[in-house]
Amino acid sequence: MGEEEANTVEASEPKELQQPFIEEKAAAALNDVAEKKSVIPVPQKVAAAPSTEKSPNNRDSVLARVETEKKLALIKAWEENEKAKVDNRAHKKISAIGSWENTKKADVEAQLKRIEEKLEKKKAEYAEKMKNKVAEIHKEAEEKRAVIEAKRGEDFLKIEEAAVKFRAAGYTPKKFLGCFSS
């Protein structure tokens, strides 16, 4: 009857007032369950002595122990399965990162080779241009030497012709040894 009165009291109260009361009940129930669970000892595997009597209490305790061992075995299997999943997932991601790293390295190395080839090509082109410039400079120098040699030859001829005239006339040149001339 006490429960019926509590239900009728709860029904007559507005829902806003019922809510904290219900939450208190749920919290108390959770605390009771937590206390009960903390009191339950972890079953240890002990060699069970064969029992000759078949009492309901003994049978219930054996069934309870089997049930807890079954639960523990399932939990252990679940734990190992989850660990294996995590391990496989991590291994898969590490493999993906390794392959990504290898492809990126290969791309960078290929790019480096392309740049090196371009630089080698430009270096060869510049070397060819410089060789051409050196050859052109050498050619110009040879032409200038040839012009100077030709001018020297012409100047020698002029001097020889002038010397022949001076000898023929018996005349001494005016520009010869300017400090000795009077």
Side-chain angles (χ1 to χ4, degrees), residues 153-166:
E154 288 176 7
D155 288 344
F156 277 161
L157 284 176
K158 285 183 184 178
I159 292 171
E160 286 177 3
E161 287 175 4
V164 168
K165 285 184 187 176
F166 288 136

Side-chain angles (χ1 to χ4, degrees), residues 57-103:
N57 289 339
N58 189 20
R59 183 172 183 239
D60 290 341
S61 66
V62 169
L63 288 176
R65 187 169 21 122
V66 168
E67 187 67 28
T68 55
E69 287 177 3
K70 181 180 175 182
K71 285 180 184 178
L72 290 175
L74 289 173
I75 290 171
K76 186 175 180 180
W78 173 85
E79 180 184 13
E80 289 176 3
N81 186 27
E82 291 299 313
K83 285 181 179 179
K85 282 182 186 178
V86 168
D87 192 34
N88 290 340
R89 198 175 308 128
H91 182 70
K92 185 177 179 181
K93 287 182 179 182
I94 288 171
S95 297
I97 290 170
S99 64
W100 172 83
E101 180 186 18
N102 291 338
T103 56

Side-chain angles (χ1 to χ4, degrees), residues 123-165:
K123 182 180 176 182
E125 289 174 1
Y126 284 129
E128 186 67 28
K129 285 181 182 179
M130 293 302 123
K131 285 179 184 178
N132 289 344
K133 280 187 179 181
V134 167
E136 193 175 312
I137 290 170
H138 183 70
K139 182 180 174 184
E140 281 185 45
E142 287 296 321
E143 289 173 356
K144 287 182 180 182
R145 284 189 195 105
V147 168
I148 290 174
E149 287 294 324
K151 183 149 171 78
R152 186 177 81 173
E154 288 176 7
D155 288 344
F156 277 161
L157 284 176
K158 285 183 184 178
I159 292 171
E160 286 177 3
E161 287 175 4
V164 168
K165 285 184 187 176

Side-chain angles (χ1 to χ4, degrees), residues 107-138:
D107 289 345
V108 169
E109 288 174 2
Q111 187 178 11
L112 179 64
K113 280 191 175 188
R114 284 193 301 269
I115 291 171
E116 285 177 351
E117 288 173 0
K118 285 181 182 178
L119 289 176
E120 289 295 324
K121 189 176 179 180
K122 282 186 178 184
K123 182 180 176 182
E125 289 174 1
Y126 284 129
E128 186 67 28
K129 285 181 182 179
M130 293 302 123
K131 285 179 184 178
N132 289 344
K133 280 187 179 181
V134 167
E136 193 175 312
I137 290 170
H138 183 70

